[in-house]
């Protein structure tokens, strides 16, 4: 029986982009279902009853939630092509550590870049740039976090690049000016079709962000 793969997603979601990239890297065909998060579908509520969040990967009717867990699932199930996690246990643990760092230190804090002002904003911005610096250090001279090829940490992190215009314009700063190696890495990832076709244009994300602000009545 052919695999039936469905992805419940929302186009500007950093978490959803991770799964889009992984599925593209592995060359897996799937049905993409866009969710309206203000009016969640019965399918989403049924497939992720605990968190009620996208993304959800549904493989032959069975759901896998939480993007990093779903990424690992994809890597294990479709292990014949484009491995994301290394085979060495220690290196695998390291990759998971850095993906967890991305979630905890960047993805969970990035909201502050859009929602705070004054001193709180300055602290958030400094923290954001520090974290980018730490990641830049971890990348070192390698082309990708995964070494010579795109790996787990690359897939977990690169979606952030599609939101850069939002953060930079809102805060009037340039990541490239402070961390050029990071931007060079992001551009290298974007040269891969699996990444470029999975990430929305920065301008489109920026327009979406401005529209959402307007709807919420924020200046
Ligand atoms: C986060 C998913 C998430 O926040 C993961 O998959 O890694 N830890 C999870 N999804 C958001 C959309 S993206 O910002 C979501 O579905 N929100 C709906 C809600 O909170 O009601």
């Amino acid at each position: 029986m052919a695999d039936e793969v469905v992805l419940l997603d929302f186009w500007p979601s950093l978490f959803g982009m991770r799964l889009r990239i992984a599925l593209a890297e592995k060359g897996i065909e799937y049905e993409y279902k866009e969710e309206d998060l203000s009016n969640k579908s019965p399918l989403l509520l049924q497939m992720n009853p605990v968190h009620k969040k996208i993304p959800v990967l549904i493989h032959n009717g069975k759901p896998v939630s939480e993007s990093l867990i779903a990424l690992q699932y994809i890597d294990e199930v479709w292990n014949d092509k484009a491995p994301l996690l290394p085979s060495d246990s220690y290196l695998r643990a390291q990759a998971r550590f850095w993906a967890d760092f991305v979630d905890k230190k960047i993805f969970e804090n990035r909201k502050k870049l859009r929602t705070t002002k004054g001193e709180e904003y300055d602290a958030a911005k400094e923290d954001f740039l520090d974290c980018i610096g730490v990641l830049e250090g971890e990348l070192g001279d390698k082309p990708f976090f995964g070494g010579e090829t795109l790996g787990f940490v690359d897939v977990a992190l690169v979606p952030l690049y599609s939101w850069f215009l939002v953060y930079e314009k809102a805060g009037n700063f340039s990541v490239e000016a402070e961390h050029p190696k990071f931007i060079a890495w992001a551009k290298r990832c974007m040269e891969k079709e699996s990444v470029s076709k999975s990430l929305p244009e920065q301008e489109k994300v920026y327009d979406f962000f401005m529209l959402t602000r307007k709807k919420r009545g924020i200046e």
Side-chain angles (χ1 to χ4, degrees), residues 107-124:
F107 282 21
E108 280 175 23
N109 285 336
R110 85 207 133 92
K111 252 198 188 134
K112 289 192 194 145
L113 289 177
R114 299 185 265 126
T115 53
T116 57
K117 286 204 169 109
E119 274 178 28
E120 213 185 332
Y121 174 80
D122 290 342

Side-chain angles (χ1 to χ4, degrees), residues 114 162-171 202 205-206 209:
R114 299 185 265 126
S162 64
W163 275 79
F164 265 29
L165 201 60
V166 172
Y167 307 140
E168 292 189 328
K169 272 201 184 178
Q202 290 189 340
V205 177
Y206 183 74
F209 166 72

